Amino acid sequence: MNESEFSLDGKIILVTGAGGLIGQEVCDAYAAYGATVIATDNQSSEKLHAQIARLNRRYPEGNFSGISADVTSEESVGKLFHHIQETYHQLDVLVNLAAIDAKFDDGQKAINLSRFEHYPLELWERSVAVNATGLIRVTQHAVRLMLPRRSGHIINVASTYSLVAPNQSLYETDPETAPVFKPIDYVGTKSMVPNFSRYIATFYAREGIRCNTVVPHGIMNQHPKAFQDNFAKLSPLGRMCELKEIRGPFVFLASHASSYMTGSTLVVDGGWTAW
Ligand SMILES: NC(=O)c1ccc[n+]([C@@H]2O[C@H](COP(=O)([O-])OP(=O)(O)OC[C@H]3O[C@@H](n4cnc5c(N)ncnc54)[C@H](O)[C@@H]3O)[C@@H](O)[C@H]2O)c1
């Protein structure tokens, strides 16, 4: 084993949700390790192009492209994969990051303030379309591209709420305002991800395709102080995750260093689910 085991030179990697918090960091990490990165998101083309321009400035030798696509649309995802087929003729790694997630970061309004018994089912259906059906759709297209070469790796992104229920006291940050709750759409749709990965891993294990899950948790994004304090009390490591700390697990999984791993769940949660 040497450091070249972690090299991503020559690998073509598609990242969905690439314009998001983790997506931007993961694209940068893959670029740093030598991959050709295809960044996709349903954000505007301008935002994606600005992201690609930043990658080009930091890694002038690299090869990066940004393509807008909506994972809820068969037509949109079909066009994305047609482009990948025509331009690159192969796909080595797919990272499924695109998702709807009610946020509690500073400056972001929590999507839902209601308790479970009043939770609007339209929000559940919207999240199913992205976090579940969208995940399956993109994975289907990727597998079709990977099968002829009998080679590929799919990295799905779950949550600690795929493994345990949210501790709703984490979100109690202001006694003066109405309570907010982590909603069921996120917990329900993310719960399928580790077992979906096991399904794909075992379905295609003998056809050269691997599939694994990363479980991030509590990535710092200028959260209010009260949220950080709550988090620190509940977390064994006593702090939130720095954005850069997510790079290593994603690079490791995309690289040859993880070659004997499939169907696994790589938990990066500061010990949250350990007690
Ligand atoms: N941030 C965390 O602390 C954390 C913790 C656990 C798990 N995760 C998971 O990591 C992944 C990324 O999280 P993040 O914090 O970067 O979220 P984010 O909201 O910053 O990024 C998600 C991205 O998905 C994109 N997206 C949403 N709907 C889409 C659609 N229909 N088609 C295409 N793209 C779409 C959004 O535009 C956004 O850029 C998610 O799957 C999330 O569940 C994040």
Side-chain angles (χ1 to χ4, degrees):
M1 168 69 81
N2 59 43
E3 66 183 27
S4 68
E5 289 282 297
F6 293 89
S7 168
L8 301 177
D9 266 348
K11 281 195 194 284
I12 295 168
I13 303 185
L14 173 65
V15 180
T16 75
L21 179 68
I22 298 180
Q24 294 194 42
E25 191 69 17
V26 164
C27 287
D28 189 279
Y30 286 158
Y33 277 76
T36 292
V37 179
I38 308 162
T40 185
D41 203 292
N42 68 343
Q43 292 177 349
S44 68
S45 303
E46 290 72 32
K47 274 195 177 170
L48 271 177
H49 290 156
Q51 185 179 347
I52 297 304
R54 282 195 298 278
L55 285 178
N56 280 325
R57 277 196 298 277
R58 275 171 67 84
Y59 310 100
E61 306 292 307
N63 181 3
F64 316 115
S65 60
I67 304 162
S68 284
D70 178 350
V71 301
T72 67
S73 158
E74 184 60 32
E75 190 190 350
S76 179
V77 174
K79 277 189 191 155
L80 166 69
F81 276 87
H82 180 73
H83 173 82
I84 296 172
Q85 171 83 66
E86 293 296 302
T87 310
Y88 303 99
H89 317 293
Q90 69 183 72
L91 181 65
D92 298 298
V93 181
L94 162 67
V95 181
N96 278 312
L97 276 162
I100 291 177
D101 176 6
K103 294 282 186 175
F104 298 85
D105 311 1
D106 197 24
Q108 302 221 30
K109 198 166 164 292
I111 289 172
N112 173 56
L113 302 178
S114 64
R115 289 170 51 84
F116 169 77
E117 63 269 28
H118 303 302
Y119 188 70
L121 291 182
E122 310 86 76
L123 294 184
W124 164 260
E125 277 157 16
R126 196 185 61 153
S127 287
V128 168
V130 177
N131 302 3
T133 314
L135 168 69
I136 293 172
R137 172 177 291 114
V138 176
T139 304
Q140 281 186 321
H141 280 269
V143 165
R144 286 183 213 141
L145 201 49
M146 291 168 175
L147 275 174
R149 297 178 66 235
R150 297 182 69 83
S151 170
H153 188 182
I154 292 149
I155 301 171
N156 293 322
V157 182
S159 160
T160 46
Y161 303 150
S162 311
L163 310 176
V164 295
N167 184 333
Q168 301 287 5
S169 71
L170 174 62
Y171 306 102
E172 288 167 9
T173 53
D174 184 355
E176 303 296 312
T177 59
V180 294
F181 303 96
K182 192 75 179 181
I184 186 59
D185 65 296
Y186 188 72
V187 178
T189 54
K190 284 287 159 182
S191 294
M192 75 166 266
V193 175
N195 218 23
F196 174 62
S197 293
R198 292 181 202 109
Y199 181 90
I200 298 297
T202 51
F203 202 105
Y204 294 110
R206 306 290 173 95
E207 294 173 84
I209 296 173
R210 295 190 292 127
C211 184
N212 291 288
T213 300
V214 180
V215 173
H217 186 58
I219 311 250
M220 185 65 193
N221 190 26
Q222 299 176 316
H223 289 75
K225 171 86 172 51
F227 183 96
Q228 291 182 46
D229 290 345
N230 286 351
F231 194 102
K233 279 185 216 138
L234 294 166
S235 161
L237 281 190
R239 64 176 176 86
M240 296 183 71
C241 180
E242 297 293 333
L243 187 52
K244 63 178 187 306
E245 292 179 293
I246 206 67
R247 295 170 75 97
F250 277 92
V251 168
F252 164 63
L253 276 187
S255 74
H256 185 67
S258 69
S259 57
Y260 197 59
M261 289 174 71
T262 198
S264 77
T265 305
L266 186 57
V267 180
V268 189
D269 70 350
W272 188 270
T273 54
W275 61 15

